Amino acid sequence: MDTVYSRETTLLLTNLVVCDKDDKHSNQHKRSNYLSWEDYFMANALLSSNRSKDPNTQVGACIVNKDLKIVGIGYNGMPKGCDDDDLPWGKNPANPLADKHLYVCHAEMNAIMNKNSSDVENCTLYVTLFPCNQCAKIIIQSGIKEVVYMSEKCVDRPEYKASRLMLTMANINLRQFVPQTEKITINLKP
């Protein structure tokens, strides 16, 4: 089916094409080195992970809807209202109450809880580390349908095996992120 334009639109388009062909140094074409959607969303998760105060593991998450809009962002940190200077950041100490795992909210949980839409059903979660079993339950209950993860460094631990099992049983698509861009530089000073 041919597109029909008004006479004014046709003239304008014709003039743009003619001008562009005459100008050898024209910047009228889109650039070719822009970020893919996948890289853009994982870059947002990575950037968010930089907000984490955890000295060992910084994780970020970015939730995206079917319209490619970001609807939630999160990183691992202490619950709202709990001073992160007063709670422990260590792992597996002799005193179980001094273990960060009892207190830290994971990036996936924060992204789901901090969403800026009514729900995250049928969305995709981009996350820098494969979700643990606790986050898998929240992901499943929230209705997220796909998890794109960067690292699965803890894949052999029981909580990650349980996570993969639950996410697979719930028919959530799991795939490891494959970057198209090697490096992204963000300069905060012009």
Side-chain angles (χ1 to χ4, degrees):
M1 182 174 166
D2 291 333
T3 305
V4 178
Y5 296 109
S6 70
R7 183 173 183 278
E8 293 81 13
T9 303
T10 303
L11 285 172
L12 178 62
L13 290 171
T14 303
N15 284 336
L16 285 173
V17 171
V18 169
C19 289
D20 191 39
K21 286 180 182 175
D22 292 341
D23 184 359
K24 302 276 190 236
H25 304 290
S26 175
N27 285 335
Q28 297 300 315
H29 298 285
K30 68 180 183 183
R31 39 183 206 107
S32 59
N33 61 340
Y34 56 89
L35 287 176
S36 69
W37 284 115
E38 292 272 301
D39 287 357
Y40 175 68
F41 297 133
M42 190 58 79
N44 273 277
L46 278 166
L47 184 62
S48 296
S49 75
N50 282 282
R51 280 287 307 141
S52 175
K53 296 175 184 171
D54 191 317
N56 298 306
T57 306
Q58 299 80 43
V59 180
C62 177
I63 302 172
V64 180
N65 69 14
K66 63 181 175 51
D67 297 321
L68 302 175
K69 304 280 189 258
I70 295 173
V71 297
I73 292 283
Y75 57 90
N76 56 319
M78 296 302 175
K80 181 170 59 173
C82 296
D83 191 335
D84 52 28
D85 288 329
D86 295 337
L87 293 173
W89 287 104
K91 304 192 300 187
N92 303 319
N95 177 1
L97 285 177
D99 188 325
K100 73 174 181 176
H101 291 101
L102 296 178
Y103 307 100
V104 170
C105 296
H106 288 186
E108 301 92 330
M109 175 196 297
N110 277 328
I112 292 167
M113 296 304 297
N114 296 333
K115 66 187 183 291
N116 60 10
S117 66
S118 59
D119 64 50
V120 292
E121 193 156 341
N122 297 314
C123 287
T124 298
L125 171 72
Y126 290 83
V127 64
T128 59
L129 182 63
F130 191 86
C132 71
N133 62 313
Q134 295 297 330
C135 290
K137 292 184 271 188
I138 295 168
I139 291 165
I140 293 165
Q141 293 300 90
S142 73
I144 287 173
K145 290 299 176 195
E146 182 174 39
V147 174
V148 180
Y149 58 93
M150 180 172 274
S151 170
E152 55 181 352
K153 71 177 185 178
C154 304
V155 70
D156 293 327
R157 290 175 37 194
E159 55 268 36
Y160 293 93
K161 288 181 179 181
S163 172
R164 188 175 296 277
L165 176 63
M166 287 187 288
L167 292 167
T168 301
M169 289 175 76
N171 293 316
I172 294 175
N173 185 42
L174 303 172
R175 65 186 168 87
Q176 190 159 20
F177 172 69
V178 178
Q180 294 177 21
T181 304
E182 185 176 318
K183 183 178 180 180
I184 299 170
T185 303
I186 299 174
N187 294 319
L188 295 178
K189 288 188 175 183

